[in-house]
Amino acid sequence: MSELNKIALKIISNGKGILAADESNGTMTKRLEAVNVNSTPENRLLFRETLFSSESMKKYIGGVILYDETINQTTNFGESIPDLISSSGAIPGIKVDIGTKSLANSSEEKITEGLDGLRERLDKYYKLGARFTKWRGVYTISNKYPSKLAINSNAHALARYSALVQESKMVPIVEPEVLMDGDHSADICLRKTSEVIKKCFDELIFHKVDLSGIILKPNMVLSGNQSKNQISNEEISQKTLECLKNSVPIEVPGIAFLSGGQSEIEATKNLNLINKNNNTKFIMTFSYGRALQQSALGKWSKNIKNIKETQNTFNHRAKMCSLAALGKWSNELENK
Ligand code: 13P
């Protein structure tokens, strides 16, 4: 087993998953202002260190994706953030893309940037303790989109990123996110998501990326959020499995879904059914941002000094996601 494969498996095995706490300062400011908390570096740190020092980190979280500001911060108890995460047995990771820009010659679509100077930044993050990274490509669905241009150029960037990350001895999370925005059917989402993922793997293979040392972070296959034809959780799980079975090479150790705007409960239910029905060899787990943090953020915003209750809320959510990653979640356990 390669070192990269070992790291990937450590992050996602045994019902563990990933806490995606890598919101950029812009996104985090939106999240904090929505619950009437000032977005200062101190408040962003306080919320995150509250989560990272929770009991559930030891049992349910295999890795945490950080943002540049956070990986450089020191907790109110004087410990570096990567050390705090490692002390619970989880692995620190870092988002290394620098966001999206409008794609030239298809200006309604996005291309993710951040390849220039990436090798040097990776070196710095490794020294800070990171052992895995994340890069997100983003695609919209409509009659015209995603275009071949967006599919090809984002796949190319994801592959160049992955090759550099593995050269730096870290595990790349490859995140092609097909957004749920729109009125498209789940079958269109299935077709487009499959096309996007297949192209990513064509490029990863062309760039000689070791597929046993990556983690794929895809969206689940859903109807568009404006569609009148919403499908059941069971159908979501079936279509998501069909998509991944047909598009992901067998060498990939595991898949960690994004929540992408699903509610905490929907994201948990769907992951649970995906695991119950899992007829693939892939580990299927979570790499949730909003679906792990939303309730905890709501609780914390009522009183940012109330660490205990915020942690209790987060612990419950992390436990439910972990049960779902094992196909052992139920409504009863959720409401206990
Ligand atoms: P959500 O789970 O909130 O979609 O965030 C995951 C993520 O990392 C998006 O890039």
Side-chain angles (χ1 to χ4, degrees), residues 220-222 231-237 240 257 262-277 288 324 329:
M220 295 179 190
V221 173
L222 309 169
I231 58 171
S232 67
N233 301 107
E234 179 64 30
E235 287 171 301
I236 291 170
S237 74
T240 302
F257 295 97
Q262 298 182 70
S263 70
E264 291 179 341
I265 301 292
E266 282 294 298
T268 309
K269 250 187 207 171
N270 289 333
L271 179 63
N272 187 55
L273 285 170
I274 287 170
N275 276 294
K276 272 189 178 272
N277 297 328
Y288 293 164
W329 173 88

Side-chain angles (χ1 to χ4, degrees), residues 20 22 31 65 95 134 136 175 177 217 257-261 287-291:
D22 60 323
R31 303 258 195 277
I65 317 173
K95 185 224 305 279
K134 184 191 106 169
R136 172 175 173 261
E175 182 181 11
E177 177 176 9
K217 175 164 173 167
F257 295 97
L258 58 95
S259 59
S287 175
Y288 293 164
R290 285 161 287 181

Side-chain angles (χ1 to χ4, degrees), residues 245-261:
K245 207 172 172 178
N246 296 329
S247 355
V248 184
I250 197 67
E251 295 89 338
V252 174
I255 292 167
F257 295 97
L258 58 95
S259 59

